Amino acid sequence: MNPSCDIFCAVVDNLGDAGVSWRLARQLTVEHGWRVRLWIDDTAPLALLRPGIDQALERQSVDGVEIRIWSAPFPVVTPAQIVIEAFACELPPAYVAAMAEQPRQPVWINLEYLSAEDWVAGCHGLASPHPRLPLSKHFFFPGFASGTGGLIRERNLAVPPAPTFSGPLTVSLFCYDNPALPGLLDAWAAGSEPLECCVADGLPRRRVANWLGAPFPAGALAERGALSLRALPFVPQANYDSSLSACDLNFVRGEDSFVRAQWAERPFVWQIYPQADDVHHGKLEAFLNLYSEGLDETTAVALTDFWRAWNGKGDVAAAWPAFRAALPALAPHGPAWARQMRSIGDLAGNLAREALNKPSRKDAMATN
Ligand code: TRH
């Protein structure tokens, strides 16, 4: 019998929690044959990402994944053999108690947020015993280095064609409420090069509307100087993924679109999820350090300056000309980086292998 798996996802905000959990659920089902239930406390983002998911249904099956609304009180169910809590969400206490009562305790995995910091490989796979119950939780850290859990990547994902940089520069824009945005739009509009920018639905589109001083509904086109803007509707996740390799440069954010930009193998700019006490700046630097390896110094400096400015440290308009000039040098770096990332193995594959190799705590105690 194929392994059963419960994935728990509590949506904190935005789309990333649901986006990552959905990809993992589908991959474990489709590529590994696992019987997956995805428990999610808010189905609205899922329904946006995957048309066909009905946000109102308590229980449904899509792409082979059983999707359940995670609500209180939690129903009485037999826990799965492998239990994944996404992003340290807290499992229902009754479910944890039921896990401890299983004849063979489930493998319990805490899927952490993605980070490029160098402590990640050392913490990946560590176990934390439950204080009272015969259960251990294992930390699974996605990452960019061998020894980490790697990045989510579907098996059938095609390697995109190389960029051409012919015609106007095409850019996709997906970001948070970024104070640097108006300055960048000003610089693009005042520039000598035609630039076409596809603006993602939601916050980016609303902020561009503010900058335009005019309504900017999905489907609208606007021109200011050298800059043409197109307001996109919200597109399904699969279409979002493929749209990235149609652009010369992608602005992405958070966790999931950040990873997709890397598989699109185009130059990209990351707005990291802002955290309290500015801890995200350290995480941004950790990624920049890794990603800049192998770049010539001029290109590395242009990239670093622009990414820092986009994340609130520097002047984005001042940093743009050097970054623009570096794009042709950055272009071949995308495929090289993606090759390096593929060599770590994909996250779902690594997780499936590691989960099936873990003894349950009860078994481990019996052999000691
Ligand atoms: O939505 P996000 O800001 O999610 C964030 C991050 O995951 C962050 O790390 C986490 O702490 C926070 O959530 C709670 O950005 P992210 O991760 O890029 O997720 C966006 C998803 O939306 C991604 O799966 C791509 C998808 N998307 C579409 O499917 N269609 C679209 O039109 C757009 C713009 C995005």
Side-chain angles (χ1 to χ4, degrees):
M1 186 77 128
N2 292 345
S4 60
C5 174
D6 279 328
I7 301 178
F8 286 84
C9 172
V11 174
V12 179
D13 60 6
N14 303 328
L15 302 154
D17 308 295
V20 170
S21 304
W22 172 245
R23 284 191 200 277
L24 178 62
R26 202 181 35 199
Q27 247 188 301
L28 290 172
T29 304
V30 174
E31 296 180 12
H32 299 275
W34 286 15
R35 294 170 290 127
V36 178
R37 278 188 300 211
L38 172 60
W39 300 90
I40 184 161
D41 65 352
D42 181 2
T43 42
L46 265 193
L48 271 174
L49 296 167
R50 169 65 173 88
I53 294 179
D54 182 342
Q55 122 178 43
L57 286 182
E58 215 36 63
R59 181 183 194 150
Q60 60 198 301
S61 180
V62 176
D63 297 342
V65 178
E66 183 182 338
I67 302 166
R68 303 282 296 263
I69 298 185
W70 174 5
S71 52
F74 196 75
V76 177
V77 294
T78 305
Q81 292 160 287
I82 294 130
V83 178
I84 301 172
E85 56 176 51
F87 308 126
C89 63
E90 209 175 311
L91 298 188
Y95 183 91
V96 176
M99 283 166 70
E101 279 157 22
Q102 295 305 298
R104 188 184 160 87
Q105 258 85 61
V107 174
W108 184 358
I109 292 174
N110 175 14
L111 172 66
E112 284 287 347
Y113 286 106
L114 173 62
S115 171
E117 291 157 298
D118 50 15
W119 52 264
V120 163
C123 293
H124 175 65
L126 289 186
S128 156
H130 192 281
R132 284 177 296 102
L133 301 169
L135 292 168
S136 279
K137 193 192 290 199
H138 302 270
F139 291 93
F140 188 97
F141 281 90
F144 306 92
S146 66
T148 71
L151 301 174
I152 290 204
R153 180 187 167 95
E154 297 77 14
R155 231 178 239 168
N156 62 0
L157 198 64
V159 172
T164 55
F165 290 109
S166 57
L169 190 72
T170 53
V171 177
S172 80
L173 178 69
F174 184 41
C175 57
Y176 297 113
D177 206 355
N178 193 327
L181 179 61
L184 183 61
L185 295 172
D186 287 342
W188 285 347
S192 52
E193 178 185 35
L195 192 148
E196 288 177 7
C197 178
C198 293
V199 182
D201 195 35
L203 248 182
R205 188 168 62 72
R206 291 200 296 277
R207 290 299 171 259
V208 169
N210 293 348
W211 179 79
L212 286 166
F216 192 47
L221 293 172
E223 296 215 353
R224 294 287 187 279
L227 173 62
S228 310
L229 293 155
R230 176 187 297 270
L232 299 181
F234 193 89
V235 296
Q237 198 180 47
N239 301 26
Y240 178 76
D241 293 354
S242 53
S243 71
L244 297 179
S245 47
C247 289
D248 299 318
L249 171 65
N250 296 302
F251 285 69
V252 289
R253 74 182 199 191
E255 179 157 330
D256 194 52
S257 58
F258 169 52
V259 171
R260 298 329 279 196
Q262 294 167 59
W263 299 140
E265 302 188 359
R266 300 285 183 272
F268 68 101
V269 183
W270 181 32
Q271 186 180 6
I272 190 167
Y273 185 81
Q275 287 176 282
D277 302 330
D278 280 354
V279 288
H280 55 285
H281 287 298
K283 294 174 192 281
L284 181 78
E285 294 300 318
F287 182 77
L288 275 169
N289 276 341
L290 283 184
Y291 191 72
S292 306
E293 257 173 48
L295 291 174
D296 66 79
E297 203 188 325
T298 311
T299 306
V301 169
L303 172 88
T304 304
D305 285 352
F306 190 78
W307 280 38
R308 284 183 184 152
W310 187 239
N311 284 279
K313 298 214 159 170
D315 178 343
V316 91
W320 170 251
F323 183 64
R324 167 63 188 97
L327 291 181
L330 274 170
H333 190 58
W337 173 259
R339 256 194 314 278
Q340 193 183 324
M341 292 304 104
R342 281 197 295 271
S343 72
I344 306 169
D346 75 285
L347 188 150
N350 290 337
L351 187 147
R353 194 190 58 254
E354 291 174 28
L356 296 178
N357 283 340
K358 286 200 197 309
S360 74
R361 188 157 167 217
K362 211 182 222 175
D363 294 346
M365 289 194 301
T367 54
N368 282 338

